Amino acid sequence: MKKIKIISGIIWAFMALIIILILFPGLNSFSVALSKLPFMKINPNFAGGDAAFSYVQERCTLVVRKPVFDGLLSERKHGFVQLDWRGELPDVISDTIDFDRDGGSDFVVNLKRNDAVTVINPLSDLVTGLNVSVPTSYGWTVRVGLKRE
Amino acid sequence: MEKELVINGYRKSFGKSLLYTLPVFLITFVFMSGGRPDFSDPARLVALLVTFAGMNLLYFLMHYTGRTDRYRAILFIIFALSLSFTLISNIVQMRNSMSFSQSDIVECRIPFCHLVIPMMIIPAAFTKSIIFPGSIIGGFADISSMVILWLFATIALGRGFCSWGCFYGGWDDGFSRIRKKPLLKKISDSWKWMPFALLLMVMLTAAMTLVPTYCDWICPFKAVTEFEQVTDTESAIKAGIFISLFGGLVVALPVVTRKRTQCSFLCPLGAINTLSNKITPFTVKIDNEKCTKCYKCTTVCPLFALSREDVNGGRVSVFCSKCGKCVDVCPNNAIHFGIKGVPAGSFRNFSRNLFLFVSFIFISIFSAGSIINTIQSLLNFIIS
């Protein structure tokens, strides 16, 4: 029994050596394999949710994301919808958004880029106000707070 | 006489030490240079040669002198400093500031570090997503690579990761070595359980809020990496907390206690690594036949992993990070690196050689990039 313990301990120690030796040459392929696992995606609370639809405008495109209410076990009462303007943005933006595509406008976004002033005019009870309005590498992003129906 | 006894335990002849260094020499050469050094940038080449020579010298000295901790600590501390330097210079290059803004969060551009891992687990299981605004793969410090690096290292080394891989531990370790003798000697070692409480707290709060709460509110290492832009009261409170924790647990307490207090009392990943110490093959063993119960080892252990009860019981606790300080200080060579299953006192040199090889290969390759970058930047700065 003692010998078996010693031999298995030494074998495990050599396996640890192999683990470290294959780690660095295989790092890229191991990372790619890990990144393909189903849970390896950024939570929508950070990533902003999947794109729902887009409006192609004169020199830019407005991408409206799916509303995010993600909680640990179920949806939360409060969430947000993210709007991304991509491309060459005008100095002043004013867009009316129907984020749930029910035919009724939900809010109006007025954005003055130079002054970094963003105003949300809610047209629906589900809209709670402005959460985030920031310049991005691709244009501008606004997150508008929502209540769950 | 005492010094001689300590050194005699593991020291090897010059030739034998060179021979033991040869595999590390070849492996580090291949990984650092990619097998083909770049001669087009002299500063880069010099940085590579200095890093390569320095690392191999440290490994050689570990064998030649028989001491572990002294040379490990040199590389470990340099790693911490250079990683912070590389990270900060990358971040400043990207954003012109050490602070990150809402734009960086919205675009998921925050570099990932291993301390986030405990908070990812429950949300990943339930929401099938990662609660961190970083990049999954590709880019600087992506989530996949950092998780793989930590996972492999913690399986192989257990809590040895905290002394042979964690690029924050070097800050604690460095400050704990500033004074020769501690000013504050009596600290209850029950504080070492604190990281488990914190681990539970941050895992639960992160699961409830879907925000990495430790990073958001507590992590003291934001002081040497990046932090949230102070724009309102909440972000100002957060800044106050991380600066206080850095000043208290990473700088002041290690200086006065000669212990790694942040690693011992706060780090939630350290708690997970403590658990993984159960599966790693490497450990530190106490040879009861040689031990004279002088308890020098309990005094020097920086992580409260050795109490008098542990020494009397002839075992090292799971909190051990295999830094080698107790092994170096033991006047009777009663403490040694060992392999689980192998009785204390047997295969001492074999176990030490194998453990040093595994752990040194990990830290040298992991740290090489940031050390080379730092030396290169310093050379470029001096030349310009």
Side-chain angles (χ1 to χ4, degrees), chain A residues 73-111:
Chain A
L73 299 171
S74 59
E75 289 200 331
R76 291 167 170 172
K77 282 180 184 167
H78 293 272
F80 65 87
V81 62
Q82 180 168 319
L83 315 173
D84 300 323
W85 284 268
R86 293 169 179 269
E88 281 184 54
L89 272 56
D91 290 340
V92 178
I93 293 172
S94 182
D95 281 315
T96 304
I97 310 293
D98 171 18
F99 74 87
D100 51 10
R101 305 189 91 177
D102 61 355
S105 301
D106 295 304
F107 58 89
V108 180
V109 188
N110 291 305
L111 168 61

Side-chain angles (χ1 to χ4, degrees), chain B residues 150-169:
Chain B
W150 168 78
L151 189 66
F152 278 52
T154 199
I155 290 171
L157 304 172
R159 206 181 180 192
F161 178 83
C162 302
S163 281
W164 293 86
C166 177
F167 40 75
Y168 296 132

Side-chain angles (χ1 to χ4, degrees), chain B residues 255-277:
Chain B
V255 170
V256 297
T257 61
R258 286 185 58 83
K259 302 281 182 190
R260 288 171 57 182
T261 46
Q262 193 285 145
C263 306
S264 305
F265 303 156
L266 195 73
C267 182
L269 192 73
I272 291 192
N273 288 336
T274 300
L275 298 176
S276 69
N277 244 358

Side-chain angles (χ1 to χ4, degrees), chain A residues 6 9 12 14 17 19-20 24-25 31-32 35 39-43 45-46 71-73 76 134-137, chain B residues 31 102-103 107 126-132 134 137 144-145 152 207 209-210 279 281 339-341 350 357-358 365:
Chain A
I6 293 173
W12 181 211
F14 272 102
L17 169 64
I19 287 171
I20 294 300
F24 292 98
S31 305
V32 170
S35 71
F39 62 84
M40 287 301 280
K41 60 174 196 283
I42 304 295
N43 189 280
N45 285 300
F46 294 103
L72 182 69
L73 299 171
R76 291 167 170 172
V134 286
T136 55
S137 59
Chain B
F31 280 104
Q102 274 291 339
S103 305
E107 290 197 68
F126 284 96
T127 68
K128 300 221 179 324
S129 63
I130 304 296
I131 53 161
F132 189 81
I137 192 150
S144 299
S145 304
F152 278 52
T209 59
L210 296 186
I279 55 164
I339 293 172
K340 283 178 188 161
F350 170 78
F357 186 60
V358 173
I365 301 173

Side-chain angles (χ1 to χ4, degrees), chain B residues 68-145:
Chain B
T68 308
D69 177 61
R70 180 184 294 175
Y71 304 109
R72 175 203 64 81
I74 292 172
L75 182 55
F76 193 51
I77 294 164
I78 290 174
F79 183 27
L81 296 173
S82 63
L83 197 285
S84 290
F85 178 84
T86 307
L87 195 74
I88 291 168
S89 51
N90 263 317
I91 290 167
V92 170
Q93 217 168 23
M94 279 192 318
R95 315 176 186 137
N96 292 321
S97 159
M98 260 177 81
S99 61
F100 59 83
S101 62
Q102 274 291 339
S103 305
D104 298 309
I105 296 174
V106 163
E107 290 197 68
C108 295
R109 286 192 306 218
I110 310 294
F112 183 82
C113 90
H114 50 277
L115 297 186
V116 189
I117 292 169
M119 289 162 286
M120 283 169 33
I121 300 169
I122 297 174
F126 284 96
T127 68
K128 300 221 179 324
S129 63
I130 304 296
I131 53 161
F132 189 81
S135 107
I136 291 288
I137 192 150
F140 182 62
D142 65 74
I143 297 170
S144 299
S145 304

